[in-house]
Amino acid sequence: MPIATTNPATGQVLKTYEAMSDEQIDAAIERADLAFRQLRDTTIAQRARWLTAAADLLDAERDETARLMTTEMGKTYAAAKAEVTKCATACRFYAGNAPRMLADEPADAAAVKAKRAYVRYQPIGPVLAVMPWNFPLWQVMRFAAPALMAGNTGLLKHASNVPQTALYLEDLFRRAGFPEGAFATLLVGSDAVDRILSDPRVRAATLTGSEPAGRSIAQIAGREIKKTVLELGGSDPFVVMPSADLDTAAEVATTARCQNNGQSCIAAKRFIVHTDVFDAFAEKFAARMAALRVGDPMDDGTDVGPLASERGRDEVHAQVTDAVDQGATVLCGGEKPSGDGWYYPPTVVTDLRPEMRMWSEEVFGPVAGLYRVGSYDEAIEVANGTSFGLGSNAWTNDPAEQERFAVDLDAGNVFINGMTTSYPELPFGGVKNSGYGRELSAAGMREFCNTKTVWIGEGEGEAGAGAGAHSE
Ligand code: NAP
């Protein structure tokens, strides 16, 4: 894939970049390693000042950064501005909460026959971050903010279609005051990932992206015995039960499917509706989807901009066509527009069956699959009947049912009467083929920490670790 900015609203190539040479990659890794030695010896308070400075820069530069993202990947300008603000919030969250998250945790010294015992969280070194284009600032920030606060350094291999946003991020952390090399952008293709992750100075990797990319990185990391966090695809269920407020559910369903032009890992993608309310919900939902305004992402009135690439649009349309050819019913949308830009209309498809691609594959565009179910148990069966397990949504005003969904939905998160989203305060991640590990909250920060046991004995007499202890 060329490293280039191509405007999805026009198809015009605006800027291209040469991939970095092996020598340049090695030099960046060396700088990241040196910066790590510096950063781990700084205080948490110092790192918090730098991260707060990054938040201030993000706020000050919100509009131009948002314009850059819209130009590179097509999200609406309004959504891009909100993304910048969310990044600033996450920086401030980690600057404020890292002292608590990284504090030593005392253990029961008597139980482990110590004078003192505690757990210490220490950084591990340079971490490779392989990132996708769909939230080009946020996906990186939710790794970078906790990683830098913990004292790690970051090497970013961003998606090849967002090079300018990638370079902005490197510049942002430098201007915020972090040491030279603490956060570096490597303008490289995915073929360079093996070389980078195999380098002994690179200690771990995090990937947000597709399942094939996850498999590839996990294989390299397995060979090298390095920790990985994988945030992969999803085909989130959105279950609607008879007690739900159908108007609110249909409204939120529309946003949940079409946010970010339908290109979100945690977008609701499969709408599983109880037969008692199926027809009413389908009508309300399809009407709202059809009413969304598709157009220039820079226009204030636009709800849905273009998809990020021509290949992405072709794939989405092929999935819809495959379903229609096998008997599925289109309630709205489903036609590929002609003309410039990679637009696709909000689409609702029903009468789906397991042999259709849409049943089991992730659809990365504004296309909803609508499923009719006859009971709670059937809803759970369809919701969990996927290889993915990232987010999940259930709409019900029955308190007992709410508790059951929370337990029974097989996913990294469950949102009841709301839309899946991410907050710095809450862990984020998936199960099954959606990946493993967690981002955000204290859990995300500690993924790239050495959770070190510290045991201090009396240093005299007979007492000590040997007395009554098991050894492995
Ligand atoms: P992608 O093709 O996997 O690309 C993501 C990143 O991985 C890019 O930087 C890409 O580089 C790189 N990459 C691709 N193949 C690779 C390989 N074999 N080895 C090493 N690196 C590789 O995914 P995408 O199409 O850009 O993004 C959409 C996918 O990401 C969807 O499945 C979506 O659900 C998922 N996603 C997940 C989350 C989450 O939090 N779980 C969040 C957002 C998106 P190039 O650009 O150079 O190819």
Side-chain angles (χ1 to χ4, degrees):
M1 224 175 136
I3 302 173
T5 297
T6 306
N7 187 345
T10 61
Q12 233 186 326
V13 179
L14 301 176
K15 209 160 180 172
T16 54
Y17 294 83
E18 284 288 309
M20 287 168 75
S21 65
D22 288 351
E23 291 69 33
Q24 287 171 312
I25 294 171
D26 286 345
I29 296 174
E30 181 63 17
R31 281 194 297 275
D33 192 38
L34 290 172
F36 168 60
R37 288 156 211 274
Q38 241 182 300
L39 201 59
R40 70 176 171 194
D41 292 335
T42 56
T43 61
I44 293 177
Q46 174 60 73
R47 301 199 289 269
R49 279 194 290 278
W50 289 331
L51 205 57
T52 305
D56 293 344
L57 286 168
L58 284 164
D59 282 340
E61 297 164 1
R62 184 194 68 163
D63 292 0
E64 57 204 271
T65 311
R67 197 170 296 116
L68 180 59
M69 285 195 279
T70 297
T71 308
E72 291 207 295
M73 52 66 66
K75 69 172 61 212
T76 64
Y77 186 44
K81 284 189 280 192
E83 184 171 337
V84 180
T85 301
K86 185 170 180 172
C87 289
T89 303
C91 287
R92 293 199 178 93
F93 171 80
Y94 276 108
N97 287 280
R100 172 179 60 81
M101 295 171 174
L102 296 170
D104 290 345
E105 282 174 7
D108 180 347
V112 297
K113 301 184 180 6
K115 183 171 75 175
R116 197 156 74 86
Y118 58 92
V119 177
R120 171 158 294 185
Y121 295 101
Q122 287 185 299
I124 56 172
V127 180
L128 170 66
V130 182
M131 291 289 151
W133 45 264
N134 61 341
F135 293 90
L137 208 65
W138 170 244
Q139 302 289 3
V140 178
M141 195 56 75
R142 73 182 187 185
F143 152 73
L148 291 168
M149 262 321 295
N152 292 306
T153 56
L155 290 160
L156 170 65
K157 180 264 172 280
H158 215 327
S160 294
N161 57 335
V162 289
Q164 295 192 62
T165 308
L167 290 169
Y168 171 79
L169 279 154
E170 177 181 86
D171 196 44
L172 172 76
F173 289 117
R174 185 189 301 118
R175 287 184 290 135
F178 283 97
E180 189 67 30
F183 187 90
T185 285
L186 304 175
L187 287 180
V188 293
S190 56
D191 54 344
V193 166
D194 195 336
R195 177 189 177 87
I196 299 164
L197 189 48
S198 304
D199 190 296
R201 292 165 294 188
V202 176
R203 299 307 317 145
T206 181
L207 162 82
T208 301
S210 61
E211 226 180 305
R215 286 184 202 285
S216 166
I217 286 181
Q219 265 172 16
I220 301 165
R223 189 187 71 211
E224 301 295 328
I225 315 185
K226 288 180 183 175
K227 171 81 179 274
T228 50
V229 167
L230 300 182
E231 299 283 3
L232 309 178
S235 190
D236 290 5
F238 186 108
V239 181
V240 183
M241 296 301 282
S243 64
D245 174 336
L246 293 190
D247 285 308
T248 312
E251 188 68 37
V252 175
T254 306
T255 308
R257 178 56 283 206
C258 293
Q259 59 166 330
N260 213 37
N261 309 342
Q263 302 159 118
S264 167
C265 55
I266 48 168
K269 290 167 187 146
R270 296 176 301 131
F271 297 80
I272 300 160
V273 185
H274 194 280
T275 190
D276 290 356
V277 291
F278 183 90
D279 292 340
F281 178 83
E283 194 184 328
K284 290 173 193 291
F285 181 41
R288 283 174 170 82
M289 289 284 279
L292 291 176
R293 284 155 303 188
V294 180
D296 183 346
M298 286 304 294
D299 282 355
D300 283 345
T302 295
D303 298 309
V304 181
L307 301 196
S309 69
E310 187 167 23
R311 194 173 52 105
R313 182 176 68 164
D314 287 348
E315 181 71 1
V316 167
H317 190 57
Q319 288 167 308
V320 171
T321 307
D322 166 79
V324 172
D325 288 350
Q326 296 187 72
T329 307
V330 174
L331 300 185
C332 66
E335 300 279 335
K336 187 161 98 172
S338 53
D340 289 342
W342 302 314
Y343 294 96
Y344 201 78
T347 298
V348 180
V349 182
T350 191
D351 298 324
L352 293 159
R353 288 200 311 276
E355 56 273 23
M356 300 171 182
R357 290 180 60 191
M358 275 187 68
W359 186 281
S360 52
E361 294 179 9
E362 177 181 31
V363 183
F364 222 53
V367 175
L370 198 53
Y371 302 75
R372 185 192 292 266
V373 291
S375 63
Y376 173 88
D377 287 344
E378 198 188 344
I380 289 293
E381 194 184 318
V382 176
N384 291 344
T386 162
S387 60
F388 297 111
L390 192 55
S392 60
N393 311 259
W395 287 75
T396 169
N397 283 313
D398 174 339
E401 221 169 51
Q402 292 175 354
E403 295 304 319
R404 289 182 74 193
F405 275 118
V407 173
D408 293 340
L409 283 169
D410 200 7
N413 65 66
V414 178
F415 281 67
I416 310 282
N417 294 340
M419 166 182 134
T420 302
T421 186
S422 58
Y423 296 98
E425 292 82 358
L426 290 170
F428 184 94
V431 296
K432 304 198 288 188
N433 289 6
S434 290
Y436 50 73
R438 289 294 177 266
E439 292 194 289
L440 300 175
S441 75
M445 179 176 254
R446 290 173 186 167
E447 289 283 3
F448 297 116
C449 285
N450 172 8
T451 303
K452 187 186 266 181
T453 290
V454 180
W455 186 102
I456 300 169
E458 291 295 343
E460 57 190 25
E462 302 227 330
H470 299 280
S471 60
E472 283 104 51

